Amino acid sequence: METSMQSGATTLPPRITKTLIDRLTAMVTAGTAGDKREPYEMIEVYTGAVVGELPQSSPEDVVAAAAQARSAQKEWASWSVERRLEVFARWHELILAEIETIADLIQIGSGKTRRMAIEESCDPPMVISHYLKTAARVLKPVQRGGYMPVISTSIQQHRPKGVVAVIAPWNFPFAIAMSDSTPALIAGNGVVLKPDNKTALCTLFGVELLYQAGLPRGLMQVVCGGGPDVGPTLIENSDYVMFTGSTATGRTIGEQAGRNLIGCSLELGGKNPMLVLEDANLDDVIPGAIFAVFGNTGQACMHIERIYVHDRVYDEFVRRFVAAAEELGSKAGASYGTDPEFGSLVSPDQLARVSEHVEDARAKGATVLTGGKARPDIGPAFYEPTVLTDVTAEMTHATMETFGPVVTIYKFSAEKDAIAQANATTYGLNASVWSRNLARAEKIAGQLEAGNVNVNDGFVVTYSSKATPSGGLKQSGVGTRHGDAGLLKYTDSVNIGVQKRQVMAARAAMPYAKQLQTTLLTLRMMRKLRLR
Ligand code: NAD
């Protein structure tokens, strides 16, 4: 259940008009069978005021959306990759031209800072640029040697799956929805996108721009609603699911995809550690760690919730980190301008979850070095940057993802103990290690059980590398996004074998002993000549 917010006056920027909101919400596939569901009231996080009503899709609407996408997909798949990419080159331009409106819409539903909203808006252009450069090569059919050189060949084709369901969370609502849909569409699929209700506006605007860029009508559909209401029908009517969200929901999605025998990619939660070695340059570490912990108000899947600091630098690190966290907290603000450096949580519900984790730790003996309080004076979902020590295993925050501006600092003296503690989690999404000695840091990076490991950075360096596949290990996910693998996962690999001359009939006429002898000789010869 969503906690309801007091309705009052909004503080929307002048660009965000009722006409724009009505136009965007009209894009949701809803009410196709004539039975309108109760709409969802969208809230401006900074004020708690209602900004508009979001139509909610019924199962019949989801079926209709998937059918539309499937019908448009047939022609789209017949276009050359180069022709499809022209649409994405135009979309790239449109996103950059409309970046301020995109940032407004991101901020309305998420409450993040302007700078973070702009950074988020830059993610899809980076992904688009990468695939503009690589997609034609990656999707090209590959001719491979057949079972018998010269006589046969095998062609590997990459065929689009058909219709891809993209289910996106609220924390990077524009970046994730757009960046995960991009390779699905470029590979020749249709997409049915389900954003989170809270943050649907920015996603709808991105889709509107994509249609302006020349995407064939109907190819990308948006359905909205509660996950459990919309999810099962969506998966039932799709050929692949790209899900980003919590580990608990990921498990449900994986089960449903398994039952339908379709593939899925699951990008899930984390409990990400940072290691600060005794030779790390604290002038770099402190701002890096502050961003890694408190960026996006701690609501980033790759953000750091555990910091292990070598005992030789522990006291200085704690003193400087706490001072920097307090300074950041003093720059919190509810504004669409660039002044605030620390934003809101997404909702009072999220604030309640974060606060519960901190109060549980406090009650069980943790020390709150700074923070640990809500800031209703700034907005209904603001919470202070919070630093804990003395956190022990029975506290919820020790092992569960808090997903807010809360971090625990631990002390270590032996490198191997720090690595073991960093790995002592069921998650494996991101890890960070800081040292002036790059060779040593890279060696440690190789021992950390995470799908992304950042040396002398918190998460930006891996997050921004669009050429390298990125995903979670252990309970943090299945599959990867980005790179060649992030495009090919939206295709089926089809093997077309071509026989230039039929040789089987001649062999069948041989006595069996002779056939066997010839077969063994051929196998040996091919291995020696490295032909097969
Ligand atoms: P969530 O799992 O509650 O919801 C994610 C999306 O799934 C939403 O659109 C939601 O409506 C939908 N959903 C919920 N139940 C569903 C169901 N049964 N069927 C289909 N859809 C359903 O997660 P959240 O709270 O929105 O997002 C925060 C979580 O996402 C955190 O755990 C965070 O770590 C994770 N996350 C991971 C990544 C990554 O790349 N690994 C990125 C961002 C966020």
Side-chain angles (χ1 to χ4, degrees), residues 167-171 176 194-196 225-228 231-232 243-247 249 252-253 256 267-270 301 401 403 429 476 481:
I167 303 176
W170 47 260
N171 67 327
I176 292 173
K194 196 212 92 56
D196 190 286
F243 171 80
T244 308
S246 63
T247 295
T249 311
T252 306
I253 303 279
Q256 288 170 1
E267 298 290 342
L268 310 177
C301 54
E401 182 185 42
F403 217 54
L429 186 59
S476 287
R481 54 162 67 100

Side-chain angles (χ1 to χ4, degrees), residues 380-455:
F382 276 81
Y383 194 86
E384 291 176 337
T386 300
V387 183
L388 308 179
T389 53
D390 305 316
V391 166
T392 50
E394 70 280 9
M395 302 174 191
T396 311
H397 174 70
T399 50
M400 304 280 287
E401 182 185 42
T402 296
F403 217 54
V406 182
V407 69
T408 295
I409 309 179
Y410 302 90
K411 191 190 281 190
F412 74 88
S413 47
E415 184 181 297
K416 69 172 184 354
D417 294 341
I419 296 170
Q421 286 176 53
N423 288 339
T425 168
T426 55
Y427 292 107
L429 186 59
N430 181 41
S432 157
V433 51
W434 294 76
S435 167
R436 283 191 165 94
N437 181 339
L438 286 187
R440 181 182 172 206
E442 282 175 33
K443 193 159 168 238
I444 292 172
Q447 298 169 70
L448 293 171
E449 294 166 1
N452 302 276
V453 186
N454 295 270
V455 171

Side-chain angles (χ1 to χ4, degrees), residues 72 83 88 98 123 130 136 147 158 180 220 233 252 258 275 290 321 335 344 346 392 394 422 450 493 496:
R83 188 173 167 204
F88 285 85
E98 294 289 352
D123 186 76
H130 173 74
Y147 78 103
H158 306 293
D180 282 340
M220 185 161 185
T233 316
T252 306
L275 274 57
I290 287 287
F321 185 77
S335 158
S344 176
V346 73
T392 50
E394 70 280 9
S493 179
I496 299 184

Side-chain angles (χ1 to χ4, degrees), residues 177-195:
M178 300 299 113
S179 295
D180 282 340
S181 299
T182 293
L185 290 163
I186 288 175
N189 298 285
V191 164
V192 181
L193 172 62
K194 196 212 92 56

Side-chain angles (χ1 to χ4, degrees), residues 314 318-319 322 326 366-371 385-390 409:
Y314 180 86
V318 170
R319 182 177 52 74
V322 167
E326 285 171 354
T367 305
V368 181
L369 292 179
T370 187
T386 300
V387 183
L388 308 179
T389 53
D390 305 316
I409 309 179

